[in-house]
DNA sequence: AGTAACCTGTGC
DNA sequence: GCACAGGTTACT
């Protein structure tokens, strides 16, 4: 489920659930999480109060007293669930945080690719190099031109590079190209200012639409995509038919008729 | 740029 | 059975 809009929503939920609460226990229920978090790291976090939640791109940070942090990434299928002590955590719960108000927050992830890491106060930032957020005023035509200038490959895979832009994933990269009427196969470095401007607007529009449907995630969202997942269907704005291709191992959906090279 | 790896589930 | 899945990293 997670691209920027969904992660932003998840982080907002965490804020409501965890800030000012004390972490009573952390249970790691999948070996892949236990591999990355030692029992002693867990014990250092236990009992600490959560001071704030931060998000950068698709990354979430739980800030704790004393400068400790939890770094969480949902990857493909992670999400938060929560409940009261009497409630059973959902199937596929990979980590379970119990708080001092008798409630719990669960990291639920069918594919178990999500990561959760405990970061000590003196450790450097756990975040990889990330470009600006789409809504950052620093995300400009000039910036994007420079970020794409060194790229050899085609546009859509370049938009997935989190160093170019933080938070855009496979769905919204395709949607952004559709909104901007740009063929996702064009060389990333070939865009002039006019198309870069359309692309930036397209990225912001796609993420904004995503944020709207992230509120009521599910059935509705699927139909709200203009291109993603609509192979063989009619384009919403021209007589063309949406096509699916594979770029860098990922599906790309686009309209070959109105998305020009 | 492509491919495998990490994991598990779903749908044809 | 096989293809595919909204991510990222590390290899040819």
């Amino acid at each position: 489920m997670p691209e920027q809009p969904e992660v932003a929503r998840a982080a907002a939920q965490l804020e409501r659930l965890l800030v000012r609460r004390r972490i009573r226990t952390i249970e790691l229920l999948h070996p892949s999480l236990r591999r990355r978090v030692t029992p002693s790291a867990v014990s250092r976090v236990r009992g600490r109060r959560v001071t704030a939640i931060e998000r950068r791109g698709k990354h979430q940070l739980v800030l704790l007293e004393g400068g400790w942090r939890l770094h969480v990434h949902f990857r493909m299928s992670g999400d938060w669930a929560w409940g009261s002590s009497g409630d059973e955590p959902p199937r596929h719960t990979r980590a379970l945080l119990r708080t001092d108000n008798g409630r719990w927050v669960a990291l639920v992830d069918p594919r178990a690719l999500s990561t959760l890491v405990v970061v000590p106060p003196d450790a450097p930032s756990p975040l990889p190099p990330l470009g600006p957020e789409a809504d950052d005023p620093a995300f400009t035509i000039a910036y994007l031109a420079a970020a794409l200038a060194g790229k050899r490959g085609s546009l859509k895979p370049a938009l997935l590079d989190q160093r170019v832009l933080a938070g855009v994933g496979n769905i919204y990269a395709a949607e952004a190209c559709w909104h901007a009427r740009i063929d996702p196969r064009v060389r990333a470095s070939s865009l002039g200012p006019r198309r870069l401007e359309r692309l930036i607007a397209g990225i912001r529009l796609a993420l904004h639409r995503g944020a709207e449907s992230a509120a009521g995630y599910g059935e509705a969202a699927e139909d709200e995509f203009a291109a993603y997942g609509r192979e063989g269907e009619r384009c919403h704005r021209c007589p063309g038919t949406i096509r699916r291709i594979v770029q860098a191992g990922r599906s790309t959906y686009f309209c070959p008729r109105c998305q020009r090279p």
Side-chain angles (χ1 to χ4, degrees):
Chain A
M1 108 175 244
E3 292 192 37
Q4 195 262 28
E6 295 83 10
V7 175
R9 175 160 187 267
Q13 288 165 163
L14 262 202
E15 188 153 348
R16 188 164 48 74
L17 294 160
L18 289 186
V19 171
R20 286 185 292 279
R21 298 266 63 90
R22 241 176 238 289
I23 307 284
R24 192 175 278 161
T25 61
I26 299 185
E27 293 166 68
L28 303 176
L29 304 172
H30 192 281
S32 66
L33 292 182
R34 270 177 244 130
R35 247 177 269 140
R36 302 195 61 178
V37 182
T38 62
S40 82
V42 169
S43 72
R44 298 306 302 271
V45 165
R46 204 181 299 134
R48 290 184 191 273
R49 199 181 290 279
V50 176
T51 57
I53 307 296
E54 291 180 354
R55 180 196 60 79
R56 266 289 275 142
K58 305 168 196 170
H59 300 257
Q60 297 174 78
L61 291 170
V62 179
L63 308 191
L64 303 157
E65 288 172 329
W68 289 76
R69 288 158 287 176
L70 304 180
H71 172 216
V72 177
H73 196 297
F74 283 163
R75 301 292 176 114
M76 300 282 269
S77 55
D79 199 6
W80 299 118
W82 55 89
S84 305
S85 36
D87 306 331
E88 190 71 12
R91 195 181 172 202
H92 305 311
T93 293
R94 308 307 188 187
L96 190 62
L97 314 191
R98 296 187 184 276
T99 45
D100 57 358
N101 55 347
R103 296 181 57 83
W104 51 258
V105 175
L107 173 57
V108 181
D109 184 358
R111 290 182 71 180
L113 295 173
S114 288
T115 55
L116 183 157
V117 175
V118 173
V119 186
D122 51 358
S125 167
L127 301 181
L130 295 172
E133 304 282 322
D135 62 3
D136 189 329
F139 185 56
T140 60
I141 295 172
Y143 166 80
L144 189 54
L148 296 179
K151 294 275 182 186
R152 196 83 79 56
S154 45
L155 176 61
K156 204 218 70 173
L159 294 178
L160 299 181
D161 184 343
Q162 302 296 296
R163 295 169 301 186
V164 170
L165 167 71
V168 168
N170 200 41
I171 291 181
Y172 297 121
E175 294 294 289
C177 291
W178 184 88
H179 285 302
R181 299 177 184 249
I182 300 173
D183 189 317
R185 298 168 293 185
V186 296
R187 209 181 158 95
S189 57
S190 70
L191 301 179
R194 272 202 67 83
R195 322 184 97 203
L196 287 171
E197 183 171 26
R198 293 215 312 268
L199 185 56
I200 290 171
I203 290 166
R204 288 179 171 152
L205 179 57
L207 291 177
H208 187 70
R209 293 269 165 89
E212 284 173 350
S213 64
Y217 181 75
E219 354 64 43
E222 196 82 349
D223 287 342
E224 283 169 32
F225 299 135
Y228 187 85
R230 301 191 56 241
E231 183 183 21
E233 295 176 37
R234 268 285 305 282
C235 179
H236 281 337
R237 70 176 167 217
C238 88
T241 303
I242 302 295
R243 190 141 88 85
R244 174 185 179 270
I245 60 173
V246 175
Q247 295 181 293
R250 318 287 312 275
S251 289
T252 296
Y253 297 87
F254 71 109
C255 175
R257 176 166 168 140
C258 61
Q259 291 179 248
R260 307 308 310 163

